[in-house]
Amino acid sequence: MPSATDPGTPSDPAETSAPEVDAGLAPGRSLTVAVTGVTGYVGGRLVPELLAAGHRVRALARNPSRLRGRPWYEDVEPVAADASDLDQIRSALEGVDVAYYLIHSLGSGPRFEATDRATALTFARAAREAGVQRIVYLGGLHPDVEDLSPHMASRKEVGEILLASGVPTTVLRAAVILGSGSASFEMMRYLTERLPAMTTPRWVSNRIQPIAIRDVLRYLVGSADMPPEVSRGFDIGGPEVLTYREMMQRYAAVAGLRRRVIVPVGVLTPRLSSLWVSLVTPVPAGIARPLVESLIHEVVCAEHDIAAWVPDPPDGLVGFDRAVQLALARIRDADVSTRWSSAAVRGAASDPLPSDPEWAGGSLYRDERVTEVAAPTAAVWEVLQTLGGERGWYSWPLAWQARGLIDRLTGGPGLRRGRRDPRRLWVDDAVDFWRVEEVEPERLLRLRAEMRLPGLAWLELSIEPGPDARHCRLRQLALFHPHGLAGQLYWWLVTPFHGVVFGSMQRGMAAEAERIAGRGEPLSGAAS
């Protein structure tokens, strides 16, 4: 794959470490705001911007423990609430001034329209009964036509439901969001980087008005201070209107790549296009399809009325080239705070490690291995912190790739998600087809499987003290709770391979830790 070098990226360190929202928006009154979708791409970035604006943030999640790894966790009020449960969400919204609704069912199965509709109706009622003063919703920019794609039609319907809630509502409608880690950006990035020449659907010639994530966050934060008489939708977009083909060529230029050869053809349907995208990029077909469908129509802002309440920054909105430069700088510096894979996989296990009494009596299979390591705990922890992604799993790469391919073919994420940060892990990070469930620095890393399985699975890696500071013990524990006969058969079929794959992985991690310890360099992995 060509390298995503960026000759136009600023060299000033402050440029890439600056907050997402540019200066220029006058701070308003301090409000109590509730944010849904905080484990997602936009929600996870919105929270620190609201805190920086002086607001008190209530982070709503079905499982707030998933937020523990976020750097802003200690600064918010985490609340357990399911947005589809009227009593739970109404209680969570008590005393809230502004509620951000950042929930949608992108890539979540055939009944997503009914799910989106029911959840929006529940949230609207809860907000009204709890006395919320404003709802802010981020939807999709769409043309005024009848034949919208199912996902675009659903997002439009959700906006209409919230506007009819009786609570003053701001609906922001955005097209392609440009930012490190967004599904739209990653799709464009990988298509452009991996394919110097490509045949494409005809929709690459449609006009689009993309917007930088910085400007999306700016509008979201600014919407909290709108007066109560304002209740309507707003089109939001960047300063340029481009075709998708032009976006790919501009990306190539900013990233230092050769000009791409792009030949539109008329035989690729949205379904075929999404399958093609899923083969070339890390974005799975279930997410690629609604993204592709949103590009079939031209999506250009019909108005810029939002500027009356959220003025443009002094230097103007972020242009396409600048947005790409900023995104590539964050990717290069491993400063990607959230990604499209931040949200959990639909249908994947979300249960904690089975240690509760409710699990008593169920089958729980174990595969445990212990290795003595001639390295300090900090060296072993550095290895554990870098598992997965481009680094791999220290054993039989072809076996892991084959397992990832099987998972993709059966509807799972496979290995395509990689990692958000190559050097450190947070609780709830996606790591290939795993998700981080627990991180205890220099002691424990627990991963929960999100691959397609006839049961629930965990991989626990723990470090125990050795006889002295230069030695420790690495314990690897694989756990599987089968579902029915299929789960039982699965375990017995894969058990013979555990000695090869997990045994080799254990030896590989120990060897790498000993190599790190022998470098005589400061260890970078000691902090999570």
Side-chain angles (χ1 to χ4, degrees):
M1 185 180 73
S3 174
T5 54
D6 180 13
T9 299
S11 58
D12 180 4
E15 182 65 35
T16 58
S17 60
E20 298 274 13
V21 177
D22 296 327
L25 180 62
R29 55 203 171 102
S30 179
L31 302 168
T32 298
V33 300
V35 183
T36 61
V38 288
T39 59
Y41 175 72
V42 175
R45 298 194 179 204
L46 176 61
V47 168
E49 304 303 335
L50 291 168
L51 291 169
H55 299 308
R56 298 173 297 278
V57 177
R58 189 174 294 176
L60 310 187
R62 281 175 293 186
N63 184 3
S65 65
R66 291 179 59 190
L67 307 177
R68 283 180 293 130
R70 305 298 198 273
W72 39 259
Y73 180 73
E74 298 297 331
D75 299 319
V76 304
E77 179 190 357
V79 175
D82 184 338
S84 63
D85 186 301
L86 178 60
D87 291 335
Q88 285 187 23
I89 199 67
R90 181 172 51 210
S91 175
L93 294 178
E94 291 288 344
V96 165
D97 300 305
V98 180
Y100 285 87
Y101 190 79
L102 303 176
I103 299 171
H104 61 92
S105 303
L106 188 66
S108 66
R111 293 182 54 83
F112 71 90
E113 300 109 316
T115 300
D116 279 351
R117 183 182 308 114
T119 306
L121 287 167
T122 298
F123 188 89
R125 177 181 170 185
R128 182 177 64 252
E129 294 179 356
V132 172
Q133 300 301 301
R134 175 166 298 278
I135 297 172
V136 181
Y137 169 62
L138 178 62
L141 185 61
H142 56 81
D144 188 16
V145 297
E146 295 295 328
D147 60 335
L148 292 175
S149 70
H151 277 84
M152 290 183 76
S154 179
R155 300 189 77 173
K156 177 184 177 184
E157 182 187 22
V158 167
E160 292 169 347
I161 288 171
L162 298 176
L163 285 167
S165 65
V167 178
T169 297
T170 301
V171 174
L172 302 177
R173 298 182 289 256
V176 172
I177 295 179
L178 302 172
S180 56
S182 85
S184 298
F185 181 79
E186 293 297 294
M187 185 173 87
M188 177 184 67
R189 172 190 168 208
Y190 279 94
L191 286 175
T192 308
E193 290 184 358
R194 292 182 173 177
L195 300 175
M198 65 189 93
T199 57
T200 62
R202 288 180 178 172
W203 50 254
V204 298
S205 298
N206 289 345
R207 296 186 308 151
I208 305 163
Q209 192 165 352
I211 182 170
I213 182 62
R214 292 189 173 206
D215 289 326
V216 173
L217 295 173
R218 178 184 179 81
Y219 288 133
L220 285 167
V221 173
S223 294
D225 282 315
M226 286 187 177
E229 62 270 18
V230 178
S231 187
R232 53 163 290 186
F234 296 92
D235 293 351
I236 59 171
E240 299 170 90
V241 176
L242 304 165
T243 65
Y244 203 84
R245 183 195 312 197
E246 290 171 335
M247 288 167 58
M248 287 193 287
Q249 297 290 17
R250 293 268 290 270
Y251 176 93
V254 173
L257 306 173
R258 293 180 179 177
R259 184 173 177 81
R260 279 19 205 164
V261 177
I262 301 173
V263 182
V265 296
V267 296
L268 290 175
T269 65
R271 182 175 181 276
L272 289 175
S273 297
S274 62
L275 292 174
W276 169 66
V277 167
S278 71
L279 288 174
V280 177
T281 80
V283 180
I287 292 178
R289 181 161 184 173
L291 295 178
V292 167
E293 289 175 341
S294 70
L295 301 171
I296 294 174
H297 300 288
E298 294 199 337
V299 279
V300 178
C301 295
E303 41 82 10
H304 188 52
D305 296 349
I306 187 72
W309 287 275
V310 187
D312 291 349
D315 296 333
L317 300 172
V318 179
F320 180 87
D321 292 354
R322 178 66 175 147
V324 171
Q325 289 172 358
L326 291 167
L328 291 180
R330 287 186 178 272
I331 292 169
R332 180 198 64 199
D333 296 339
D335 189 23
V336 181
S337 57
T338 61
R339 295 180 69 221
W340 61 269
S341 58
S342 296
V345 174
R346 180 182 180 269
S350 59
D351 303 270
L353 182 70
S355 58
D356 299 331
E358 62 186 284
W359 287 81
S363 299
L364 186 62
Y365 294 121
R366 301 166 60 95
D367 182 286
E368 189 168 10
R369 300 168 192 277
V370 180
T371 300
E372 302 292 334
V373 186
T377 58
V380 178
W381 184 248
E382 180 168 337
V383 174
L384 300 190
Q385 281 280 279
T386 57
L387 279 173
E390 294 185 3
R391 180 65 63 89
W393 296 89
Y394 293 98
S395 72
W396 292 80
L398 286 178
W400 285 92
Q401 291 170 13
R403 184 63 183 89
L405 178 60
I406 292 171
D407 192 52
R408 288 180 66 174
L409 293 175
T410 56
L415 300 179
R416 74 185 112 198
R417 298 189 302 187
R419 293 173 51 117
R420 178 191 56 81
D421 185 323
R423 295 190 296 268
R424 65 177 183 231
L425 292 173
W426 293 348
V427 170
D428 205 46
D429 268 358
V431 184
D432 295 332
F433 43 45
W434 303 91
R435 188 168 297 275
V436 179
E437 183 173 280
E438 187 63 70
V439 175
E440 296 180 20
E442 297 195 20
R443 182 180 174 274
L444 173 70
L445 173 65
R446 183 185 302 139
L447 306 175
R448 183 179 68 247
E450 290 191 334
M451 66 194 81
R452 296 294 183 184
L453 290 171
L456 307 177
W458 292 262
L459 179 62
E460 185 173 280
L461 301 164
S462 57
I463 307 172
E464 300 170 356
D468 55 53
R470 294 174 298 172
H471 295 79
C472 65
R473 186 177 297 109
L474 174 61
R475 184 179 299 274
Q476 182 186 92
L477 174 63
L479 293 164
F480 183 67
H481 179 75
H483 287 167
L485 179 61
Q488 305 274 352
L489 292 174
Y490 172 83
W491 175 261
W492 293 113
L493 284 172
V494 301
T495 294
F497 300 99
H498 284 175
V500 177
V501 176
F502 286 149
S504 176
M505 177 180 172
Q506 187 86 340
R507 292 188 296 272
M509 290 188 295
E512 178 65 9
E514 290 169 357
R515 186 191 69 80
I516 291 172
R519 291 188 316 211
E521 301 174 4
L523 297 174
S524 61
S528 64

